[in-house]
Amino acid sequence: MLTLPNLLTLSRILTVPLLVALLWPAEIGARWTTGYMLAFGLYCLMGITDYFDGYLARAQGAVSKLGIFLDPIADKIMVGAVILMLAATRDISGLHIVAAMIILLREIAVSGLREFLAGLQVSVPVSRLAKWKTTFQLIALGALILAGAVPQFPFVQLVGIATLWAAAILTLVTGWDYLRVGIRHMD
């Protein structure tokens, strides 16, 4: 259970409170660019560990049930926490909250659907389009964190918002794909 890939996954979960704490001063109205820069660095490190935990598990033949269980949870905790903090700090605001909510709601719905289908012993593999969704989502959130560190470069915020909407659109498409599979197995 305490393999390196599982430890990397657990480290992502345990690091989320620190990531939130680094963004917290902005939530109370203080623009702390250093906190955003540190949060961006931590976010990137968490993304790297996400890649390496899966890579190492496959390369070492150490894929475990715990890792299969924890990896998507770690991803959803990180994405959910970052979206909530960026909304609280108004880095995501106005109509763009809709894109963030689409992403959050899909994450919750697909998790529930996967759990339901697992009970029926139905596996739903991750599609290539879902991987693109995740890529856009991670770029969007990273760019929005970085935009708080470098407010003198407004194009970083624009990249974050544009990729957030791209992720939201892909979220709707892939969510519908998962739902169609799920509906076939419901009474």
Side-chain angles (χ1 to χ4, degrees):
M1 285 190 35
L2 292 180
T3 63
L4 181 57
N6 287 346
L7 290 173
L8 288 173
T9 301
L10 286 170
S11 75
R12 286 201 331 270
I13 294 170
L14 296 174
T15 305
V16 168
L18 178 57
L19 182 63
V20 167
L22 290 169
L23 296 171
W24 196 267
E27 194 273 330
I28 56 174
R31 252 312 141 188
W32 187 38
T33 58
T34 303
Y36 274 92
M37 188 56 79
L38 292 170
F40 177 71
L42 186 59
Y43 179 82
C44 290
L45 182 62
M46 293 168 82
I48 291 167
T49 62
D50 185 23
Y51 170 78
F52 277 110
D53 66 9
Y55 173 79
L56 290 172
R58 288 183 296 276
Q60 297 174 348
V63 174
S64 68
K65 289 180 182 177
L66 179 64
I68 291 169
F69 169 73
L70 282 181
D71 186 62
I73 290 172
D75 295 343
K76 286 166 184 31
I77 290 171
M78 182 180 76
V79 166
V82 170
I83 286 174
L84 290 174
M85 282 308 299
L86 291 174
T89 59
R90 308 244 189 278
D91 291 297
I92 300 174
S93 62
L95 186 60
H96 308 303
I97 291 287
V98 172
M101 288 304 299
I102 289 169
I103 291 169
L104 272 178
L105 292 173
R106 185 255 190 211
E107 294 296 335
I108 294 166
V110 168
S111 293
L113 184 60
R114 282 183 177 275
E115 186 176 328
F116 168 75
L117 293 173
L120 299 175
Q121 297 182 347
V122 174
S123 175
V124 183
V126 176
S127 68
R128 184 178 303 266
L129 197 57
K131 289 182 181 186
W132 277 104
K133 182 268 316 172
T134 300
T135 300
F136 278 114
Q137 184 174 284
L138 294 177
I139 290 169
L141 298 179
L144 291 169
I145 294 170
L146 182 60
V150 291
Q152 67 273 29
F153 300 115
F155 71 89
V156 177
Q157 176 83 11
L158 290 175
V159 168
I161 293 298
T163 52
L164 184 72
W165 278 103
I169 291 165
L170 290 176
T171 291
L172 289 172
V173 173
T174 59
W176 175 248
D177 289 343
Y178 284 122
L179 184 60
R180 281 187 312 165
V181 170
I183 287 172
R184 283 186 272 171
H185 299 282
M186 293 179 190
D187 293 330

